[in-house]
Amino acid sequence: MERLQKIIANSGYCSRRKAEELILNGKVKVNGEVVNTLGSKASYNDTIVINGVTLKLENKEYILLYKPRGVLSSAHDDKGRKTVTDIVDSLNRLYPVGRLDYDTSGLILLTNDGELTNLLIHPSHEVEKVYIAKIDDVVIPSKVKSLEKGVIIDGKKTGKAKVKIKKIDKKKKCSIIELTIYEGRNHQVKKMFEAIGYYVSKLKRERFSFLTLDGLKSGEYRHLNIKEVKKLYAVCKNVK
Ligand code: URA
């Protein structure tokens, strides 16, 4: 059960404030009865009619997917390539929260909660994202560390970042770097490394805010529990 105005707003019919107005003006019916007080609660299984229009209500669904490489992070592809929504079994129309490149693996959320999606992808909320990048080179630590000061990509300096050098393998001529960022610009991690002269040959997102891939193999997914969903909302609301 949830407050009626919240259910109406979540359906996309109008804002929460407008929904309150409609309720007070006696324009909203729940299961055939006019509800004109603001404390009322309803469920997503109720039939809610506003000015004669029946709302389409979907239960909110939140999925954490370990996206494999070679899968598109969109809801549909005109060229028929496999997308993240092909992997998950759901009756709802789910959309990814942000994007991972076709050749990037790792954690991606899928949901039909547009409000949470917008909060999570808004740059001002600075949601932490942790990536593991493989570089086919023996990196110079000071050069990689310079990513923390910001580099120019697409004409704009990148924001705060944290770098951890996990491994430099001189024999195999490769390095593994953990990069934490708080923005979500297009191909951001690859472009940041490119800006300092390195090419990312493999990329994986290991963490999104407090959520990790623990317990999942590539291609597997799980539903978030209510505590995790509330925590995601709180993460966004705590940041100015
Ligand atoms: N940065 C990238 O370059 N690619 C991704 O998929 C995610 C972040």
Side-chain angles (χ1 to χ4, degrees):
M1 298 290 277
E2 235 170 351
R3 284 184 181 266
L4 186 52
Q5 61 267 38
K6 190 167 179 208
I7 296 181
I8 297 171
N10 279 347
S11 79
Y13 183 89
C14 61
S15 69
R16 212 180 286 192
R17 185 169 297 177
K18 180 77 192 156
E20 288 174 357
E21 224 178 278
L22 290 164
I23 294 169
L24 289 173
N25 290 334
K27 306 283 187 201
V28 181
K29 278 187 187 168
V30 178
N31 302 327
E33 302 271 331
V34 172
V35 173
N36 56 9
T37 51
L38 283 186
S40 327
K41 292 192 168 182
S43 93
Y44 285 86
N45 297 320
D46 288 328
T47 303
I48 300 174
V49 178
I50 305 176
N51 286 327
V53 176
T54 305
L55 293 193
K56 266 200 218 134
L57 299 178
E58 281 179 333
N59 271 319
K60 294 289 172 249
E61 192 174 8
Y62 306 86
I63 285 177
L64 187 166
L65 168 69
Y66 184 160
K67 175 187 150 344
R69 303 179 92 196
V71 174
L72 272 187
S73 49
S74 56
H76 175 76
D77 181 45
D78 290 338
K79 294 183 196 143
R81 286 171 295 182
K82 193 170 182 174
T83 72
V84 283
T85 51
D86 293 332
I87 298 180
V88 303
D89 206 6
S90 170
L91 294 175
N92 292 316
R93 251 179 310 142
L94 304 180
Y95 295 92
V97 176
R99 276 169 189 267
L100 288 179
D101 294 335
Y102 187 70
D103 61 354
T104 298
S105 65
L107 197 162
I108 189 156
L109 295 178
L110 303 175
T111 183
N112 52 354
D113 181 344
E115 187 190 357
L116 182 62
T117 300
N118 289 335
L119 288 170
L120 290 172
I121 63 176
H122 198 283
S124 70
H125 292 135
E126 300 188 341
V127 175
E128 189 169 76
K129 281 146 294 218
V130 181
Y131 292 90
I132 301 290
K134 182 175 180 230
I135 313 287
D136 287 339
D137 203 344
V138 176
V139 299
I140 300 165
S142 60
K143 218 165 143 182
V144 180
K145 273 279 178 191
S146 74
L147 291 177
E148 291 185 344
K149 294 196 210 97
V151 283
I152 306 286
I153 61 169
D154 301 324
K156 194 171 163 251
K157 200 170 174 188
T158 54
K160 71 175 172 182
K162 282 188 263 179
V163 171
K164 261 191 214 162
I165 297 170
K166 307 284 269 187
K167 189 157 112 185
I168 299 179
D169 191 326
K170 289 186 179 156
K171 260 196 201 150
K172 291 188 185 153
K173 283 211 169 91
C174 72
S175 311
I176 305 289
I177 317 291
E178 182 186 287
L179 179 63
T180 304
I181 57 173
Y182 302 83
E183 303 162 295
R185 290 160 62 183
N186 224 359
H187 312 304
Q188 179 156 349
V189 174
K190 291 174 186 166
K191 284 181 180 168
M192 285 175 76
F193 279 102
E194 203 179 293
I196 54 165
Y198 293 123
Y199 170 75
V200 175
S201 62
K202 249 186 176 177
L203 187 61
K204 176 181 173 188
R205 180 154 71 192
E206 284 218 319
R207 191 151 66 76
F208 183 91
S209 189
F210 58 90
L211 295 168
T212 68
L213 291 166
D214 284 358
L216 294 178
K217 296 193 193 90
S218 178
E220 290 183 342
Y221 63 93
R222 69 173 178 88
H223 282 87
L224 297 187
N225 61 43
I226 188 69
K227 262 194 185 165
E228 291 171 319
V229 174
K230 285 194 170 159
K231 206 165 158 189
L232 281 176
Y233 268 102
V235 162
C236 296
K237 282 171 185 159
N238 279 343
V239 197
K240 290 137 292 242

